[in-house]
């Protein structure tokens, strides 16, 4: 406990970044909040949550970042950990101009944890960036320092939201997810091929990953729209899209109702058991 307080005391030395992000439409925000709620209800012990997907560009980083922000918005101490060492776009996406020290430097043993944590404008949300591109991300992520990092972060944050690379093209995603308490799989609506989603799920299961559920992302999203859906267990869901709002909202409503029924049933079944 004393050690934890010392560590917290060092927060004063951390540098700050202000991620620039666009405001999400109401329904997309709500969908993220539903995702947050479902993760919180999935179990108190689930604190390190990996967000992954089968292939690139399906929305892992956006979902992970928004989820972390949503958790912090509740006053829950949360850190967003970017583990996509090979190909992170987070710095550019959120217009972080300064040069930062990140995960790869920490995993090489060059810097300490204090050097890689950045405050944001939200007092409950911190960030760790990937740092310099490393030639051997898989080795770094398989090493003991990565596990140590997660354990240390768990002492100081209620949630560690871990952004990962896609599972199918590289092994890193599964390596990272395996070390987290739970994993959410992002599936891009109308784009992710079923075979690849199944392949990714198998790969994660084979690695011993606890899959919490799936996010159906970009539901009815047009060029300017945002859409999120979330499936857990029997399936919760939500959808939004400016391009196809009515249709998406109707589908999401239907999905939500079915999910509520299924979850009520699952609750009854659990009680009986
Ligand atoms: N729900 C959404 N609605 C509309 N656009 C979205 C949504 N989620 C993500 N996007 C857009 O899709 C693109 C890819 O998103 P993101 O970078 O989050 O994907 P990723 O899976 O992390 O990609 P990578 O595998 O390259 O890391 C970005 O341009 C992002 O703005
Ligand atoms: Mg990404």
């Amino acid at each position: 406990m004393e050690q934890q307080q010392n560590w917290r005391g060092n927060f004063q030395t951390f540098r700050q970044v202000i991620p620039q992000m666009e405001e999400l439409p109401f329904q997309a925000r709500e969908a993220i909040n539903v995702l947050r709620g479902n993760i919180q209800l999935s179990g108190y012990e689930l604190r390190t949550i990996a967000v992954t997907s089968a292939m690139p560009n399906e929305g892992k980083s956006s979902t992970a970042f928004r989820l972390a922000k949503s958790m912090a918005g509740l006053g829950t101490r949360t850190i967003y950990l970017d583990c996509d060492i090979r190909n992170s776009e987070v710095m550019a996406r959120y217009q972080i101009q300064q040069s930062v020290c990140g995960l790869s430097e920490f995993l090489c043993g060059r810097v300490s944890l204090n050097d890689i944590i950045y405050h944001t404008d939200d007092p409950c949300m911190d960030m760790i960036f990937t740092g310099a591109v490393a030639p051997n991300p898989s080795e770094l992520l398989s090493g003991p320092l990565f596990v140590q990092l997660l354990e240390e972060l768990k002492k100081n944050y209620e949630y560690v939201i871990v952004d990962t690379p896609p599972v199918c093209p590289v092994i890193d995603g599964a390596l990272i997810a395996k070390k987290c308490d739970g994993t959410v799989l992002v599936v891009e609506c109308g784009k992710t091929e079923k075979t690849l989603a199944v392949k990714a799920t198998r790969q994660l299961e084979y690695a011993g990953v606890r899959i919490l559920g799936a996010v159906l992302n970009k539901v009815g999203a047009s060029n300017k729209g945002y859409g999120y859906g979330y499936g857990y267990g029997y399936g919760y869901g939500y959808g939004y899209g400016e391009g196809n709002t009515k249709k998406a909202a109707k589908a999401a409503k239907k999905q939500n109702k079915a999910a509520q029924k299924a979850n009520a049933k699952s609750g009854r079944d659990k009680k009986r058991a």
Side-chain angles (χ1 to χ4, degrees):
M1 187 65 195
E2 203 175 308
Q3 196 185 357
Q4 188 172 333
Q5 268 165 6
N6 285 343
W7 199 82
R8 272 177 185 273
N10 288 336
F11 271 32
Q12 304 314 320
T13 64
F14 296 161
R15 285 145 297 170
Q16 186 171 31
V17 289
I18 311 276
Q20 304 298 319
M21 53 198 298
E22 58 179 307
E23 183 70 2
L24 282 184
F26 171 76
Q27 282 172 292
R29 277 204 311 272
E30 275 307 294
I32 288 288
N33 291 344
V34 169
L35 171 63
R36 176 195 71 200
N38 288 334
I39 288 174
Q40 288 171 325
L41 290 172
S42 296
Y44 178 70
E45 76 288 2
L46 300 171
R47 310 255 311 282
T48 47
I49 310 290
V51 179
T52 196
S53 76
M55 297 302 284
N57 219 38
E58 292 171 319
K60 297 171 288 298
S61 301
S62 312
T63 306
F65 193 84
R66 300 281 180 184
L67 176 62
K69 191 101 180 102
S70 168
M71 284 180 159
L74 276 188
T76 309
R77 283 197 52 74
T78 307
I79 188 159
Y80 166 86
L81 170 59
D82 189 358
C83 289
D84 193 356
I85 296 180
R86 289 174 207 261
N87 184 36
S88 178
E89 288 184 16
V90 169
M91 297 271 300
R93 167 92 42 88
Y94 299 112
Q95 297 171 43
I96 313 276
Q97 308 289 352
Q98 69 213 66
S99 76
V100 300
C101 224
L103 181 65
S104 52
E105 285 92 351
F106 174 82
L107 295 178
C108 291
R110 291 224 304 266
V111 297
S112 75
L113 187 52
N114 287 348
D115 297 319
I116 61 168
I117 293 182
Y118 288 80
H119 288 314
T120 69
D121 49 344
D122 185 326
C124 287
M125 179 167 163
D126 290 342
M127 293 178 77
I128 294 180
F129 298 96
T130 51
V133 177
N136 54 343
S138 309
E139 282 81 29
L140 291 178
L141 293 161
S142 321
L145 276 178
F146 185 60
V147 180
Q148 261 180 41
L149 169 75
L150 292 177
E151 286 308 313
E152 204 55 40
L153 291 176
K154 262 166 108 166
K155 287 184 201 160
N156 291 280
Y157 296 90
E158 284 168 75
Y159 283 98
V160 183
I161 307 298
V162 184
D163 188 4
T164 74
V167 171
C168 291
V170 279
I171 189 70
D172 308 4
L175 287 175
I176 297 161
K178 189 183 168 169
K179 290 177 178 130
C180 293
D181 300 329
T183 292
V184 170
L185 188 73
V186 177
V187 175
E188 184 175 341
C189 186
K191 186 97 183 281
T192 308
E193 283 176 32
K194 190 178 163 192
T195 46
L196 288 174
V198 171
K199 188 178 166 195
T201 309
R202 292 225 176 100
Q203 214 159 316
L204 291 169
E205 282 172 351
Y206 187 66
V209 170
R210 179 168 172 189
I211 302 175
L212 301 176
V215 168
L216 186 62
N217 194 28
K218 308 191 194 180
V219 180
S222 68
N223 292 343
K224 15 175 213 163
Y226 257 87
Y228 288 96
Y230 180 61
Y232 170 71
Y234 292 98
Y236 296 88
Y238 210 90
Y240 176 79
E242 278 182 12
N244 210 352
T245 315
K246 274 192 186 158
K247 210 170 153 192
K250 208 170 161 189
K253 214 170 165 185
K254 206 169 152 192
Q255 219 182 337
N256 275 335
K257 268 197 180 156
Q260 273 164 10
K261 261 192 195 166
N263 285 312
K265 181 176 181 299
S266 130
R268 281 200 301 277
D269 289 350
K270 264 190 201 146
K271 249 189 193 169
R272 272 205 290 273

